[in-house]
Amino acid sequence: MLNNRRSVWRVGPESRWTTVLPVAFIIVSLCSLVAIPAVVARQTNMMRREISNLAEPARRAANQIQMDLAQELDRIIAFQVTGQTQYRDEYFALLGREERNRVALRELSRRLGGGLEDDLNAVMVHAGRWHEGVRQGELLARQLPAEVWTTRMFERHAAYTKALGAASELELAMQGAIDDRLQRMRSADQWSRWLTLVLTLLALTSALLVAGLGRQMRLLAREAVRRRQDAEREAIESRNARAAAEREERRSAFLAAAGQQLATTLDYDQTIGMLAQLVVSNLAELAVVDLVDSDGTLRRVASAHRDPELESSLAEEHGRVRTNMPEPVVRIMQEREARLIGSSRSLIEYAGGGSEGNRTMIAAPLVTRGEAFGVLIALAKESKPFTAGDLPLFTELSRHAALAIDNARLYLESQQAVRAREEVLAVVSHDLRNPLNAVMLAAQLTETSPALAEEDREQIETISVSARRMSRLIADLLDVTRLEGGKRLPIEPGPVTVASLFEESEELFKAQASAASVTLQMRGSQAVVHADRDRIMQVLSNVIGNALKFTPAGGMITVRAGEPESGEVQFQVSDTGPGIPREHLDHVFDPYWQAKRTERMGAGLGLPIAMGIVDAHGGRIWAESEPGKGTTFRFTLPVDADQARGGISNSSLTLSSANN
């Protein structure tokens, strides 16, 4: 009975499943092979569009923000060292580009999701603090003394570091979004290949049972193979693109780190040596730096080698003039463009790398302000020769290095100039004071002689006046030297009435104003300030005397003092002169600075000293002017403690010295 039982798995001439089931398998397989790749392709294309249209632009924008933040420090240091406004303009251009990238990133991060908006907000917060610190520190408002701006830069460096870190984290987050989509694409491709393989096996199995469908199954199999190859090719292209992006990211990170490291010091020799070490530790086996001397010859100034013994031997060449320069080096210096150079015995010997080996070299000129002042030569390792793809990296590195070296050289020259000026000031202020005192004493003794004729007495008075002016100039030079050294001027403050200051000033300048046909008006109060009387008279003398220089005949100079307010009294000196151009207002308190039309009217020390005296009292001084309508100088002094408690009543005082 068991033998007569019919099995559903028995294959016979009447078994329908032998035809229906394979055909069903083939139909299902064909439908699946058409539908599934289409769905997978649609998903892959959608994710690829997200990468190309959203994630990759967002990553590039984040990378650009990081690069711009890294360059801001270079522009600030360049502006403070050189005083050239082009670096300040470049800084603000970087700010504008950062803002545009942040606006673009805000929209892209919102569409990408994944918490990227939080990373972008962190970048905006830290960058905003850094930029606010730059503004508050006046690092771009004017050129500060070296000690001041280096201190302020150090105080704000933490905010700058946080901004760079936040930008780096944002770029990593953007790269993570790309990697996530790439992973999903790979998963979809793997799933598609696996399912294709299963369906192909089913179709092949069905083809063994249905010979008539064999050709169709083979066509389906070839189609599946073609699609798989396409998917593999796309995967390879995706991997290549990612590898290129990673190389570019490493290149940008290296350049940012190199630029930051080169900007950490203004020491000339240290900056040059740091450049050679950077190249050897990251890119090459040997690196040398040659700079152009004042006579046009090249001199070896720095070198580095991976082998410490060879590096010691290369150090013996430092300071020597390089003769018989190879033609490629001369051509690169003339064309100011980095070049990839093949193996050349003369070049390898010139660089100090021996005469053996088949290695490539890259020579990059150091160019600043349109002139090539040196050359960087790097010798590749035998196991890893340079390619044309390395040229952009060396070009950018040489640009950063040229700027850093030029800044260090300018800083060195400025320090030498400052030392030379200080030595001259020391000679003028100390070695000339003794003979000048002797001249003044002799003139005073001669004036007391009864036998001195009247015409001779006038000459002696001229000598005395000139000697006193020389003594005052020496005192001004000493004061300016103290101020430039970062010291406060010595003062001995006490209670001083504003009225007494105005009376003395009116007596001092009455004759000079009358001779110049200028009306001098003084309006003040009986307020009492806590100040050094002699020093404040020096401030008033400098400011009023400066106003007399520029007020034409028939003009007016008004000196006022307001009532005590917020613990201080504000003084005001206004004239009806031609005024100061807006672009010169920021320089009127700079030592030795004078406008071209006034360059022969003084030494340019009065206003800087006035600012130093007011600062020593804890006050403020500033200038306001409109061309054609005159100039007003204002400064504040603290109120005396007794008057601040209401011990002295105020009353009005007006003095006037009109034209005679």
Side-chain angles (χ1 to χ4, degrees), residues 196-478:
T196 300
L197 179 61
V198 172
L199 294 174
T200 302
L201 290 175
L202 290 174
L204 289 175
T205 303
S206 301
L208 294 175
L209 301 175
V210 183
L213 299 178
R215 184 171 181 274
Q216 289 79 355
M217 294 300 297
R218 288 194 297 273
L219 292 176
L220 291 175
R222 283 197 291 269
E223 179 67 16
V225 171
R226 185 185 66 78
R227 293 190 178 187
R228 184 177 62 186
Q229 290 174 348
D230 291 342
E232 291 176 350
R233 183 169 60 255
E234 291 177 357
I236 293 173
E237 292 175 354
S238 177
R239 287 196 297 270
N240 292 337
R242 181 179 177 182
E246 290 176 349
R247 287 195 300 272
E248 182 64 24
E249 182 180 356
R250 290 194 297 270
R251 171 181 174 273
S252 300
F254 167 72
L255 289 175
Q260 184 176 3
Q261 187 171 353
L262 289 171
T264 56
T265 178
L266 287 175
D267 184 87
Y268 184 65
D269 296 330
Q270 186 178 354
T271 302
I272 299 173
M274 190 183 299
L275 171 60
Q277 291 295 336
L278 277 172
V279 174
V280 168
S281 60
N282 294 276
L283 303 172
E285 180 177 329
L286 164 68
V288 296
V289 180
D290 295 341
L291 297 185
V292 179
D293 282 343
S294 57
D295 57 358
T297 59
L298 274 180
R299 188 179 300 274
R300 179 67 47 82
V301 294
S303 59
H305 200 286
R306 289 184 179 269
D307 189 339
E309 295 182 0
L310 292 178
E311 184 171 351
S312 300
S313 63
L314 288 173
E316 298 176 358
E317 298 294 322
H318 292 181
R320 295 184 181 179
V321 175
R322 312 307 296 173
T323 57
N324 300 323
M325 288 186 297
E327 179 62 26
V329 176
V330 177
R331 187 167 59 254
I332 289 169
M333 291 284 289
Q334 293 174 347
E335 297 176 356
R336 299 193 293 276
E337 184 177 351
R339 291 290 182 88
L340 176 65
I341 306 172
S343 179
S344 170
R345 176 174 296 183
S346 61
L347 276 171
I348 294 177
E349 291 178 350
Y350 175 81
S355 58
E356 298 181 357
N358 184 18
R359 293 173 288 180
T360 56
M361 303 176 66
I362 286 182
L366 301 174
V367 181
T368 183
R369 296 191 293 274
E371 294 293 333
F373 66 90
V375 63
L376 166 66
I377 301 176
L379 181 65
K381 295 181 290 187
E382 288 191 66
S383 60
K384 190 177 180 181
F386 292 136
T387 64
D390 296 315
L391 283 177
L393 176 62
F394 274 90
T395 300
E396 191 68 15
L397 177 62
S398 65
R399 187 182 67 82
H400 283 285
L403 180 60
I405 294 173
D406 190 50
N407 289 339
R409 179 167 56 185
L410 292 175
Y411 177 75
L412 177 63
E413 293 174 355
S414 67
Q415 292 296 100
Q416 293 173 347
V418 168
R419 285 195 296 270
R421 189 180 67 187
E422 289 178 349
E423 292 174 358
V424 172
L425 289 177
V427 171
V428 171
S429 61
H430 293 87
D431 295 355
L432 291 183
R433 178 162 287 183
N434 290 334
L436 182 60
N437 289 336
V439 171
M440 294 175 62
L441 180 60
Q444 292 174 0
L445 292 175
T446 304
E447 286 179 345
T448 60
S449 174
L452 186 65
E454 188 63 29
E455 59 273 13
D456 294 334
R457 189 177 302 279
E458 293 179 358
Q459 299 298 324
I460 295 300
E461 290 178 355
T462 301
I463 293 174
S464 298
V465 171
S466 300
R468 285 194 295 271
R469 291 182 60 188
M470 291 178 63
S471 180
R472 176 62 180 274
L473 180 59
I474 290 174
D476 289 347
L477 289 173
L478 286 174

Side-chain angles (χ1 to χ4, degrees), residues 48-82:
R48 187 176 293 111
R49 284 195 298 271
E50 287 183 359
I51 291 175
S52 60
N53 298 336
L54 297 177
E56 186 59 26
R59 190 200 64 78
R60 288 197 299 269
N63 177 261
Q64 186 62 51
I65 289 176
Q66 183 181 6
M67 294 179 63
D68 291 343
L69 281 171
Q71 295 179 23
E72 285 180 15
L73 192 61
D74 296 341
R75 301 304 184 272
I76 294 173
I77 293 175
F79 173 75
Q80 287 295 331
V81 172
T82 64

Side-chain angles (χ1 to χ4, degrees), residues 162-175:
K162 290 181 179 179
L164 278 180
S168 178
E169 292 176 1
L170 176 61
E171 185 178 0
L172 291 175
M174 296 297 178
Q175 185 61 45

Side-chain angles (χ1 to χ4, degrees), residues 526-576:
Q526 286 294 340
V528 180
V529 294
H530 186 69
D532 186 322
R533 179 183 181 84
D534 293 336
R535 284 294 192 180
I536 299 306
M537 281 303 303
Q538 189 176 355
V539 174
L540 288 171
S541 298
N542 288 341
V543 177
I544 296 174
N546 188 72
L548 280 171
K549 292 179 183 178
F550 302 107
T551 303
M556 176 182 293
I557 298 175
T558 304
V559 185
R560 298 186 180 91
E563 298 298 332
E565 183 178 353
S566 300
E568 62 183 15
V569 175
Q570 184 180 118
F571 292 75
Q572 173 181 323
V573 179
S574 302
D575 62 58
T576 58

